[in-house]
Amino acid sequence: MAINETANKVCVIGLDGMAPHLLEWLVSEGHMPNIKKFMDKGIYGPLKSTIPPITPTAWASFITGKNPGKHGIYGFLNFDPGNPGEVSLNNSQSIVGDTLLNILSRNEKKSGIINLPMTYPPQPVNGFLITGLMTPSIENTFTYPPELKTELLEIFPEYDFLVHFELFDVNSDRRFKNFVDTAIKVITIRANACLYLMEKYHWDFLMVHFQSVDAIQHKLWSYIDPDLKLSKSKDKWRRDRIIEFYNVLDKLIGQIKSRINLSDTTTIIMSDHGFGARKGKIFPNVLLKKLGILKSYDEISNVQSNIFKKTKEFLRYIPLLVPIYKMARKNFSRKSRITWLEYLERQQDSFDFHKNLDFNKTKAYLMSAGSYYGSLYINEQSHKLCDSLIKHLENARDPETGEVIFKGIFRAKDIYSGEQLKLAPDLIIVPREGYAIDDSLSAKKLLERSSKLVWGEHREYGIFMAFGDIIKENNNLTNARIIDIAPTILYCLGLMIPEDMDGRILVSIFKESHMDNYPVEYSKMDKTNNNRLKHTYSQSEKIIVRDRLKNLGYF
């Protein structure tokens, strides 16, 4: 039910992983002039992500206005605590409860969604939808209505979901340039598709999401991080090329803004989390093994180790006899290709590593949350074991510096609430700044430092900015959370807020006169969508999505 019949439209531009300190540095250096205008004219501030601050959890919280204990998404993967070893990929059907799109459709509001994560497989909406990150490929049905796919690919035949990583490092200038050029191409086609669709179709709520920001920062963070000093002239050239990516993105945002009537549309620019440098990794399963509460099938590991050892020797001494090596020589430059030994080792790892766990003898195990956080599950549900593990983790120290290794250790029940708490890990582990949790079963050390700083990792705070006739001008925002965005959008659209949303309306961003004329109203929760559905990826689709996430550094 509408509470404001003259309500604004809303346009949201998602910049996946954009970090506040990076954006502020770019703007201070004279880059991204459109973003600067938005920051100066409207509201700007940090946006607190979820625990963990990872794409599926954060965007599921965005689209529901709820904490993971209600919507049930704790990462890319769903671990069933009642069936150890049962792992599945989360997707749109995994989200429990009402979403923003459900609510808008019921209230006859038209939505247009372009590449938002956690929307595959596509669900019916009152409007149009193009799915995002978890879509296996353009061969799948990735639009609603389904026929939109044909229209989209006829006009934009090279449409893609993000810039794809390949199994090589970007060491050569040529491959580095090609990588960034591809990212620019992807976001340009994305923005042009948005411009086409927003002109052709009526919409009350429009969202376009740029996943490639996250991809660039994962792979190339050491060249763009304003806190890092560049030691070589080559690095300066690379930083300038990445900055060009952000300037093109800024230009595209300006083009989208030019098609928006600012008098009747509130525009929000946001990211789901931030970014920072990864200095090393922490392997909590090493500690669990040492404590005797995690058991893996060592005999299988030994067999695998021997196979890889023999394979390495073979490839090292007679590589010209290996067909795959010939293919590598043909397709990869000498400077940029990874060794096929590295390739084999990467293929050995996957998020199916739990198959090497002996669950009959394992009392606790850590799975990657798909971010730099860790999810620890306890098979024996006892307070005593949980308390003991927390003490061991709290007492873990860096052998070189004596510093604590873990920044925070949280019990799920202390940070989540809702019926889906049953799917949560028992403990959520946050490493100290600059380190990432790794769930490897083969690691020998609890902590390893990176030999060179290349990768970027997620951080807790992303960005938020808003502007429009009903938004205050030139104001800073504090204490905003990603779960606050859905109720704020509903308020802008003149709708009541479901009482079961955990987020709150960001009252401080609105002009007082608007709040006085249109007070906030709440509605009863809708229980028609409280079922967790199950979309099963085929084996080939699972491999495609798995490798994409691995290449992004999530597993």
Side-chain angles (χ1 to χ4, degrees), residues 166-178:
E166 297 178 88
L167 292 174
F168 57 82
D169 297 317
V170 286
N171 291 327
S172 75
D173 286 349
R174 181 176 67 86
R175 288 200 172 277
F176 183 98
K177 182 179 182 300
N178 287 344

Side-chain angles (χ1 to χ4, degrees), residues 222-505:
S222 62
Y223 299 111
I224 192 63
D225 188 340
D227 296 331
L228 299 176
K229 294 181 180 180
L230 299 176
S231 59
K232 300 178 182 178
S233 59
K234 178 175 87 168
D235 295 341
K236 175 66 166 58
W237 174 86
R238 293 185 176 214
R239 171 174 283 184
D240 290 344
R241 187 59 190 150
I242 301 171
I243 288 174
E244 179 62 19
F245 166 83
Y246 290 104
N247 282 330
V248 170
L249 177 63
D250 180 80
K251 182 180 178 180
L252 297 171
I253 291 172
Q255 291 175 6
I256 294 171
K257 178 225 175 188
S258 69
R259 305 290 181 89
I260 294 173
N261 184 347
L262 297 181
S263 65
D264 71 357
T265 304
T266 296
T267 302
I268 294 171
I269 300 177
M270 59 173 290
S271 63
D272 54 331
H273 53 75
F275 254 87
R278 186 177 78 188
K279 302 174 184 177
K281 289 185 177 183
I282 301 171
F283 303 90
N285 282 331
V286 170
L287 177 60
L288 300 184
K289 277 189 172 184
K290 185 177 179 180
L291 294 173
I293 57 178
L294 183 151
K295 299 290 184 181
S296 60
Y297 293 112
D298 291 332
E299 64 276 13
I300 295 177
S301 298
N302 289 335
V303 170
Q304 289 176 334
S305 177
N306 289 332
I307 290 173
F308 276 87
K309 182 178 179 181
K310 297 295 183 182
T311 304
K312 287 181 183 181
E313 292 174 356
F314 179 74
L315 291 178
R316 182 175 290 117
Y317 294 110
I318 47 175
L320 294 178
L321 299 180
V322 184
I324 199 169
Y325 180 81
K326 291 182 179 179
M327 183 179 68
R329 297 283 297 184
K330 180 179 179 181
N331 291 292
F332 296 90
S333 71
R334 179 179 298 275
K335 289 183 179 180
S336 67
R337 64 176 180 266
I338 65 165
T339 70
W340 285 99
L341 308 182
E342 292 176 273
Y343 173 79
L344 287 170
E345 288 168 349
R346 291 187 189 188
Q347 290 303 95
Q348 182 186 23
D349 295 329
S350 76
F351 54 60
D352 289 330
F353 90 107
H354 61 277
K355 293 178 180 178
N356 280 336
L357 284 175
D358 184 347
F359 285 103
N360 292 323
K361 297 179 181 179
T362 293
K363 296 179 182 179
Y365 56 96
L366 180 128
M367 297 278 197
S368 169
S371 71
Y372 71 107
Y373 284 31
S375 300
L376 198 149
Y377 294 82
I378 300 174
N379 280 350
E380 289 190 357
Q381 296 296 328
S382 69
H383 295 296
K384 185 177 180 180
L385 179 57
C386 190
D387 292 342
S388 174
L389 278 174
I390 290 174
K391 288 182 180 179
H392 282 292
L393 293 167
E394 288 176 339
N395 291 330
R397 293 289 188 274
D398 185 328
E400 291 187 16
T401 66
E403 296 177 89
V404 295
I405 289 179
F406 300 108
K407 178 182 176 181
I409 301 154
F410 302 102
R411 296 175 189 266
K413 64 181 182 180
D414 293 333
I415 56 175
Y416 306 130
S417 63
E419 293 183 359
Q420 303 309 311
L421 186 60
K422 60 189 178 184
L423 297 176
D426 295 280
L427 296 176
I428 296 86
I429 303 174
V430 184
R432 81 166 189 240
E433 193 76 8
Y435 284 78
I437 297 291
D438 192 302
D439 57 17
S440 172
L441 293 174
S442 59
K444 304 301 181 184
K445 297 180 180 179
L446 180 58
L447 181 147
E448 290 183 0
R449 288 173 173 79
S450 298
S451 58
K452 59 180 180 178
L453 202 56
V454 175
W455 285 86
E457 289 287 357
H458 295 189
R459 293 294 184 269
E460 185 177 12
Y461 284 91
I463 60 147
F464 176 89
M465 62 185 78
F467 49 93
D469 273 9
I470 64 175
I471 304 297
K472 292 178 181 176
E473 295 185 7
N474 195 24
N475 269 259
N476 292 325
L477 177 67
T478 58
N479 302 320
R481 304 167 299 171
I482 197 165
I483 57 174
D484 298 330
I485 310 303
T488 301
I489 290 171
L490 290 175
Y491 177 74
C492 289
L493 291 168
L495 301 175
M496 294 192 291
I497 315 304
E499 62 183 9
D500 64 328
M501 282 189 173
D502 298 309
R504 65 178 189 276
I505 296 174

Side-chain angles (χ1 to χ4, degrees), residues 206-225:
L206 176 73
M207 180 165 186
V208 58
H209 177 265
F210 293 97
Q211 186 74 44
S212 293
V213 178
D214 180 88
I216 283 279
Q217 293 172 179
H218 269 299
K219 187 74 171 178
L220 307 177
W221 184 255
S222 62
Y223 299 111
I224 192 63
D225 188 340

